[in-house]
Amino acid sequence: MSHTVITTTTTTTRTSGDGVLYMGYTRTIPGLLKLGQMLALLIAFLCVHCARGWPSWAAFQYFEVVALWFLIAFLIFFLMHLFRLQAKMPCINWPLTEFFHYSVGTVLILIASIIAAVKSGGVSALVAASVFGFIATFLMAVSLWTSYSVTCGPHQTGAAV
């Protein structure tokens, strides 16, 4: 008496890339850096915006404008990664665009944070804004470094040597 046993195994796999929304990006290093930058810039902007009695009106107007501009820009980049919109616009070099954005943003936020720290006049909300500006600057510098390694690092070519 011989018995034959047939076993069928069915596996179903789901990737986080299915669908419109790519939530896996929020768990990557660039995604976490963007979230941290947006949070730091939002707190810095709100600290300056809600503070009363600015010692230097022009300095803190500059800080507000720069913080809000880069907050909106980071939100746009974050949403583009979240919805994978880069693939729909291949005519733009997105790594290079982000690299230049981080380069300019790091310098401008650093300048705004230094000015805010110097001109705060002991107002605690303005001091907190400059601290969060420095935190955002640090996170932007880290993003700049990682973006540089992607944009300007060694590239593989298909040509044989």
Side-chain angles (χ1 to χ4, degrees):
M1 278 191 154
S2 162
H3 293 290
T4 305
V5 178
I6 300 174
T7 306
T8 305
T9 306
T10 306
T11 59
T12 305
T13 58
R14 265 190 125 164
T15 61
S16 61
D18 295 342
V20 176
L21 194 62
Y22 175 50
M23 289 303 291
Y25 180 70
T26 60
R27 288 182 232 108
T28 64
I29 300 270
L32 290 172
L33 284 171
K34 278 188 185 61
L35 284 172
Q37 292 159 4
M38 289 188 298
L39 182 65
L41 287 173
L42 178 64
I43 292 171
F45 172 78
L46 290 176
C47 284
V48 170
H49 189 73
C50 295
R52 298 285 182 245
W54 291 353
S56 174
W57 189 83
F60 291 103
Q61 278 296 119
Y62 170 73
F63 188 90
E64 271 190 325
V65 167
V66 170
L68 189 61
W69 168 256
F70 285 102
L71 174 64
I72 291 169
F74 288 140
L75 182 63
I76 290 169
F77 280 129
F78 182 75
L79 292 174
M80 292 201 59
H81 283 286
L82 203 61
F83 290 104
R84 296 182 177 173
L85 297 176
Q86 299 94 337
K88 293 176 177 54
M89 293 184 271
C91 60
I92 299 172
N93 185 347
W94 289 107
L96 190 61
T97 302
E98 285 194 39
F99 174 76
F100 285 129
H101 180 74
Y102 282 126
S103 300
V104 171
T106 301
V107 171
L108 291 179
I109 294 291
L110 178 64
I111 291 169
S113 298
I114 290 171
I115 292 171
V118 170
K119 302 272 187 174
S120 65
V123 178
S124 60
L126 301 178
V127 172
S130 68
V131 168
F132 279 103
F134 285 123
I135 291 170
T137 301
F138 173 74
L139 293 173
M140 290 169 69
V142 172
S143 293
L144 180 64
W145 180 258
T146 59
S147 174
Y148 174 79
S149 65
V150 170
T151 305
C152 301
H155 296 286
Q156 297 291 333
T157 61
V161 178

